[in-house]
Amino acid sequence: WTDEMRIRFANDPANLLAVDGEANQDKGDSPPGTWMPANAAFWCQYAIGFIAVLRGYNLPVDEISAQELRRAAVTCPAG
């Protein structure tokens, strides 16, 4: 990526999530296949946001993370 694209990605509100320091350290740069929010009630929102960033930046996703995102998506309200 160009420097401009890196800056855009790093500052994209869709890619930013306000969390406490411990959660931020726990997650680091881990993908959904190795880290999901402790609060299962937030899984749907987290998965939808993560998928939006993947699509918006045409990023790849590993199979384990794809499975975890699918599992989280079924927690979304139907309708």
Side-chain angles (χ1 to χ4, degrees):
W1 284 356
T2 64
D3 287 344
E4 180 180 324
M5 181 61 112
R6 289 173 193 266
I7 291 168
R8 180 176 151 217
F9 180 80
N11 293 291
D12 187 337
N15 196 30
L16 299 173
L17 184 62
V19 297
D20 66 23
E22 185 176 338
N24 188 46
Q25 294 225 343
D26 286 347
K27 183 193 179 302
D29 62 356
S30 300
T34 57
W35 185 91
M36 285 293 287
N39 182 355
F42 186 63
W43 287 359
C44 171
Q45 185 177 345
Y46 182 78
I48 297 304
F50 199 95
I51 291 166
V53 170
L54 290 173
R55 288 184 176 166
Y57 290 91
N58 196 30
L59 297 171
V61 64
D62 62 273
E63 185 56 35
I64 294 170
S65 292
Q67 290 173 8
E68 193 64 33
L69 290 168
R70 281 189 213 93
R71 190 168 74 98
V74 300
T75 69
C76 294

